[in-house]
Amino acid sequence: MKAVPLLVLILAFGAVGCDESPTGPTIVNVTWKLETVARVGTATITIPNPDQFTVRFEDNSNLTARADCNSCSGRYTLDGTSISIGNLACTLIACPMPGLDQIFSAALQGARTARASGNQLVMTGPDYTLTFRN
């Protein structure tokens, strides 16, 4: 066997692996609806209306979020399953469920990992675990 066909084979197999995401299904360009918030040492909060607590990661490293009656925006970096979310700029409207909007935005900013499987996204940080569906 000549070296050129072997090199072509190696490059072809390497290219196949490039399309696969190390986090599983991509989290980008999907609107994720919050289902639960688990905080260390407290009971898990089930979100009564997931449409009011969403996050969307754009492919340009921008993110948008809805935190109850407030909207937020910011930037993120994603490297495999590691995620870092910068400071979020959020509107300051008084929401009907006070406090949950602030817990959600704080938990997003504290997230350190993001793993997607099927239509579920789990983000974890030192204090919170957020579970989303799309």
Side-chain angles (χ1 to χ4, degrees):
M1 181 177 239
K2 293 183 179 181
V4 173
L6 180 59
L7 178 61
V8 170
L9 248 150
I10 291 169
L11 291 174
F13 282 117
V16 170
C18 290
D19 290 338
E20 297 176 7
S21 169
T23 59
T26 182
I27 70 168
V28 177
N29 297 324
V30 175
T31 299
W32 297 97
K33 298 176 183 182
L34 183 64
E35 290 193 317
T36 62
V37 176
R39 186 174 185 179
V40 176
T42 64
T44 298
I45 300 168
T46 300
I47 305 305
N49 189 351
D51 289 326
Q52 291 179 296
F53 295 88
T54 63
V55 66
R56 182 175 178 90
F57 301 95
E58 302 295 339
D59 55 11
N60 62 1
S61 298
N62 288 327
L63 77 82
T64 56
R66 179 175 176 189
D68 196 3
C69 60
N70 288 295
S71 57
C72 305
S73 62
R75 305 224 2 116
Y76 74 95
T77 57
L78 182 65
D79 183 13
T81 60
S82 295
I83 193 164
S84 176
I85 296 174
N87 290 331
L88 296 176
C90 299
T91 58
L92 299 174
I93 299 169
C95 300
M97 293 191 305
L100 194 51
D101 58 325
Q102 294 168 352
I103 290 171
F104 177 54
S105 60
L108 275 177
Q109 291 176 107
R112 298 296 174 254
T113 64
R115 288 187 171 84
S117 177
N119 67 343
Q120 185 179 55
L121 169 64
V122 177
M123 296 177 68
T124 58
D127 299 319
Y128 295 95
T129 297
L130 303 172
T131 304
F132 297 86
R133 291 243 181 242
N134 65 10

